[in-house]
Amino acid sequence: MRAGLAPVDPADVWFPYYGDRLAQALTAHEAVPHVVEAPSASAAEVVAPSAPSARAVYEEIIGEAALKWNMPQERQLATEGLGLGDLVGALQKKLSWLAARSDVDAWAIALIFRDVAAYLDDARPVREEVLDCVLEAVPDSGEVVLVSHSLGTVVALDLTTRLSPGVSVVHLTTAGSPLGLDSVYSRLLVGGPKRPDVVADWSNVWCPNDAVAIGCPLADDWADGLADLAVINARDRAHSIVEYLSHTEVARSIGNRLAL
C-alpha cells in the first residue's frame, strides 16, 4: 500500500481569491440578483448582464450550451418580430432546458454563465481586474500545480499568458469547465483551443450532469495532449469543486505531481 502524501507546506500554497474583485468590477445590478425584490422573475430576466456587450456573450454561451444538449430549435418566421419579452422567454427556455437535464438548477447556471460572460466581455476591464488580482498572489518563479474550477478554468488559461518567464505549470487541473464551448474558448487570451506551451500536463475532469461542463470532454476540440476524466458527482452537487476533488483519480493526478 502506498503511503499517503505529506501535507503541503502552507508557504508553498497560494489561493488567489478574485471573487471580491470580480464583484467590484461589475455593476451592483449584475453582481447580485434581486431575488427578494422580484421573487417571481425568471433567472434569465434577473441575472442577465445589463451591459449589451456582456449580455450578447451571455446569450451566446447559453444558446450554445442548450444546442449542445440537443434542445429542439424553434423556427421564427421572418415576418415575425421579437419583443423584449419574447427574447427573455426564449433565453429562459434554454436555461430551463439545461437545468432539467442536469443536476444544476437554472439560477446557478445563469449566475455562473453571467460571470463567465462578464469576464470575457472585452468592452469592459473585468478580465484585467481579475487577472491582476490573481497575479498578485502568483509566485515569480518555480514549478506550480494549478487547480481550477468553473470560471476559474477560464481565468487559469488566460493566466498562463501572463505568468513570469520563470514559472512553469507542471500540472493543470480543470474541473467543471465551460472551456468546451466555442463561445468561451474563442475569446481566450491563448488564442483558441490549444494547450499553452507553459503547461506540461493537463487533466480535465467533468461530470455528465454538470450543465456548466456541457462542452466536455475537452479533447473533442482541444489538441496537444489533454487528458479527460468523466466522474459522477453526487446529486445536487454536480458542479461542486469539493465533489470533483473527492474522486480518487482526480486527487491522485494532483497528488502525484505534488509528490515529485
Side-chain angles (χ1 to χ4, degrees):
M1 176 180 291
R2 183 179 180 224
L5 291 172
V8 179
D9 187 337
D12 294 332
V13 178
W14 48 275
F15 185 78
Y17 179 72
Y18 57 81
D20 289 344
R21 191 76 64 89
L22 174 64
Q24 292 168 6
L26 301 174
T27 66
H29 172 74
E30 293 174 357
V32 181
H34 303 300
V35 181
V36 176
E37 297 177 18
S40 62
S42 69
E45 180 182 359
V46 176
V47 174
S50 60
S53 54
R55 184 185 176 99
V57 178
Y58 171 76
E59 292 178 352
E60 184 181 345
I61 291 173
I62 292 176
E64 183 184 355
L67 185 62
K68 280 185 175 291
W69 224 325
N70 304 313
M71 179 177 179
Q73 300 300 296
E74 296 181 359
R75 294 186 176 182
Q76 182 75 19
L77 295 178
T79 55
E80 293 180 355
L82 282 175
L84 178 59
D86 296 320
L87 290 173
V88 171
L91 189 60
Q92 182 59 42
K93 286 181 181 179
K94 294 172 184 176
L95 270 176
S96 297
W97 179 269
L98 292 171
R101 281 149 186 79
S102 73
D103 284 334
V104 185
D105 66 43
W107 280 97
I109 297 169
L111 285 166
I112 294 165
F113 284 156
R114 184 279 314 273
D115 287 349
V116 173
Y119 174 83
L120 293 174
D121 176 19
D122 287 333
R124 295 185 299 165
V126 176
R127 190 193 311 239
E128 294 303 319
E129 289 281 344
V130 170
L131 287 175
D132 286 347
C133 177
V134 175
L135 285 167
E136 290 171 3
V138 177
D140 294 327
S141 63
E143 297 180 340
V144 301
V145 174
L146 182 57
V147 180
S148 58
H149 171 248
S150 196
L151 167 60
T153 66
V154 182
V155 176
L157 263 293
D158 277 353
L159 178 66
T160 63
T161 69
R162 301 290 181 85
L163 292 173
S164 167
V167 175
S168 62
V169 181
V170 296
H171 177 78
L172 167 65
T173 289
T174 50
S177 175
L179 289 170
L181 298 174
D182 175 76
S183 50
V184 174
Y185 66 65
S186 65
R187 293 178 167 89
L188 293 175
L189 297 181
V190 294
K194 55 186 179 182
R195 179 172 59 86
D197 292 337
V198 70
V199 176
D201 180 59
W202 181 358
S203 295
N204 177 63
V205 55
W206 64 289
C207 173
N209 292 331
D210 182 355
V212 179
I214 187 61
C216 295
L218 294 186
D220 290 347
D221 296 301
W222 290 73
D224 306 324
L226 166 66
D228 282 296
L229 174 63
V231 297
I232 302 300
N233 290 338
R235 187 170 180 80
D236 299 327
R237 296 199 294 273
H239 190 61
S240 166
I241 181 57
V242 174
E243 196 72 15
Y244 273 116
L245 295 179
S246 69
H247 293 280
T248 302
E249 306 95 317
V250 180
R252 182 183 296 119
S253 69
I254 300 170
N256 286 344
R257 301 304 305 187
L258 291 172
L260 295 179

